[in-house]
Amino acid sequence: MIGLSSYAGVMENLTNSAEEQRPSSLVIHVLSPSQKSGSVGGFVLVHAGAGYHSESKAKEYKYACKRACQRAVDQLKAGALAVEAVAAALVELEDSPFTNAGMGSNLNLSGEIECDASIMDGRSLQFGAVGAISGIRNPVLVANRLLTEAQKGKLSAGRIPPCFLVGRGAHEWAVGHGIAPCPSENMATKFSLSAYKRNKRKMELAEKTGQGSKQAKKIRQSSVTENGPGSLDTVGAVVVDLEGNVAAGVSSGGLAMKHPGRVGQAANYGCGCWAENSCNLNPFSTAVSTSGSPFLASEERVLGGVIVLRCCRCVEAEPTPNIQGILVEFLWSHTTESMCVGYMSAQDSKAKTHISRLPPGTVPGQSLAIEGGVCRLMAAAE
């Protein structure tokens, strides 16, 4: 898997690739200074998983993305920084029973829910993550709390604060820091339970016939076309606030029927998400969140998706100290059959949502879809 920090340097190449693969959907979104005064604002892009999104549940997926965007924008309007807006968006996606994150996540081999989540602040480059955590409704809140606690500095006796916790230790730390527990059985839904029972029967039958490893691979591949949370993998969000700070986050219930204790890509540094503000050597701020199946040599198809945001300060033809602005370029890309996304600026009255699909006749894992747009954020300085 490509290191996420490298996306900062290849954003233009990705856009060019989109033109070669297929015509991209370009969304031009220009905001005038008169639309919003003050210095609050920003932009959010979210996704509800890269995989298979049935037409019968399209409204539910879009609604989850719409709610996530609205939650993030509410935070931005209240003066929150980008990282808090990302956390707010992911909480909404985790609470949806139609995503494989938080509520309704895939069950592991033991019939329990264990989640992974991570979040990164582009301003401080601080990172927080949890892996294989159970009994917590919103894993991203734990990841975000780890990040904020680490920003406070060293603990007593000069101890280094944790930024990545797993399993029981992660659960105990979360509860000890005021995050309410939620029994794992209360996080399962009828969709995740039925998928678990179906996969359990398949594996038991395969073990009797001596085809256990082959059946496990079939379960992963069949999830691409089954209408359940297991086919959607992670959810993610990227945000820029009007100060130019970026942040990214990701949350996942992991693979269906995974071994207890398995930590997936969503929790790993530089893999599930990345965020980095502009600096002297790089004028662009970049935020990335990924989704997808294991990128392993043994897999016949590479199934995944990504959302990317890149921004910089606007350069006006006639600069004025009373106007500030940010030019935001954003895109989503996937090799899966579909990917549900939503995006919204703080000046918008409502979020825009879209289910991106591969063109008819193309093969998931062997084809690539790229779409995106441009958003120009402008506001009068106080």
Side-chain angles (χ1 to χ4, degrees), residues 26-371:
L26 182 62
V27 183
I28 303 296
H29 192 70
V30 182
L31 303 169
S32 66
S34 61
Q35 285 181 283
K36 184 73 177 181
S37 62
S39 59
V40 294
F43 177 86
V44 56
L45 170 64
V46 305
H47 76 84
Y52 172 73
H53 300 78
S54 69
E55 293 289 353
S56 64
K57 290 187 173 60
K59 289 184 178 179
E60 285 83 356
Y61 299 129
K62 289 182 177 181
Y63 181 71
C65 287
K66 178 181 178 180
R67 287 282 302 243
C69 288
Q70 189 63 61
R71 285 283 296 272
V73 165
D74 288 345
Q75 288 287 312
L76 293 171
K77 287 182 176 179
L81 296 176
V83 68
E84 295 300 329
V86 163
L90 288 180
V91 165
E92 195 66 39
L93 291 170
E94 288 174 337
D95 284 346
S96 171
F98 298 98
T99 63
N100 177 29
M103 296 292 294
S105 290
N106 285 329
L107 276 64
N108 63 18
L109 276 175
S110 300
E112 299 177 342
I113 288 177
E114 293 182 328
C115 298
D116 305 323
S118 64
I119 191 167
M120 187 169 181
D121 180 12
R123 183 178 63 165
S124 65
L125 298 182
Q126 292 279 3
F127 173 81
V130 290
I133 188 173
S134 61
I136 297 294
R137 180 185 178 97
N138 297 114
V140 71
L141 292 181
V142 189
N144 191 43
R145 187 61 182 273
L146 282 164
L147 185 154
T148 56
E149 289 296 316
Q151 289 177 332
K152 296 178 181 179
K154 293 183 179 180
L155 304 174
S156 60
R159 292 175 297 134
I160 303 297
C163 68
F164 185 6
L165 293 174
V166 299
R168 181 178 175 182
H171 181 272
E172 292 177 349
W173 188 94
V175 174
H177 284 78
I179 298 175
C182 178
S184 181
E185 57 268 22
N186 292 351
M187 295 175 61
T189 64
K190 63 179 182 179
F191 302 110
S192 59
L193 285 171
S194 63
Y196 171 75
K197 293 176 181 178
R198 182 173 60 251
N199 289 330
K200 190 74 171 178
R201 289 193 297 268
K202 290 180 180 179
M203 293 192 70
E204 289 173 349
L205 178 62
E207 289 172 358
K208 290 181 180 179
T209 59
Q211 297 180 336
S213 59
K214 291 183 179 180
Q215 189 62 39
K217 189 172 184 178
K218 287 182 179 180
I219 288 174
R220 293 196 298 271
Q221 293 176 345
S222 65
S223 69
V224 176
T225 55
E226 289 176 356
N227 186 27
S231 62
L232 302 180
D233 200 64
T234 62
V235 300
V238 291
V239 169
V240 57
D241 59 36
L242 204 56
E243 294 181 8
N245 301 308
V246 294
V250 60
S251 182
S252 176
L255 296 174
M257 310 304 288
K258 65 183 179 181
H259 193 282
R262 180 187 187 274
V263 176
Q265 295 175 159
N268 285 284
Y269 178 76
C271 190
C273 66
W274 184 266
E276 185 174 0
N277 277 13
S278 61
C279 62
N280 293 334
L281 298 178
N282 180 15
F284 297 102
S285 297
T286 306
V288 184
S289 181
T290 69
S291 171
S293 301
F295 290 75
L296 304 175
S298 60
E299 296 294 323
E300 296 176 358
R301 295 181 292 175
V302 177
L303 298 170
V306 63
I307 54 176
V308 184
L309 177 155
R310 186 179 78 164
C311 59
C312 65
R313 291 288 178 183
C314 293
V315 178
E316 301 296 328
E318 297 180 2
T320 169
N322 296 323
I323 299 296
Q324 59 180 325
I326 295 176
L327 181 65
V328 181
E329 300 171 288
F330 60 97
L331 66 81
W332 53 89
S333 178
H334 58 98
T335 61
T336 55
E337 185 168 330
S338 60
M339 187 174 189
C340 185
V341 299
Y343 55 94
M344 182 180 185
S345 79
Q347 286 92 345
D348 290 331
S349 59
K350 62 180 181 179
K352 295 178 176 62
T353 59
H354 172 61
I355 296 183
S356 174
R357 299 187 184 277
L358 290 178
T362 57
V363 179
Q366 300 178 10
S367 304
L368 176 69
I370 302 180
E371 300 177 272

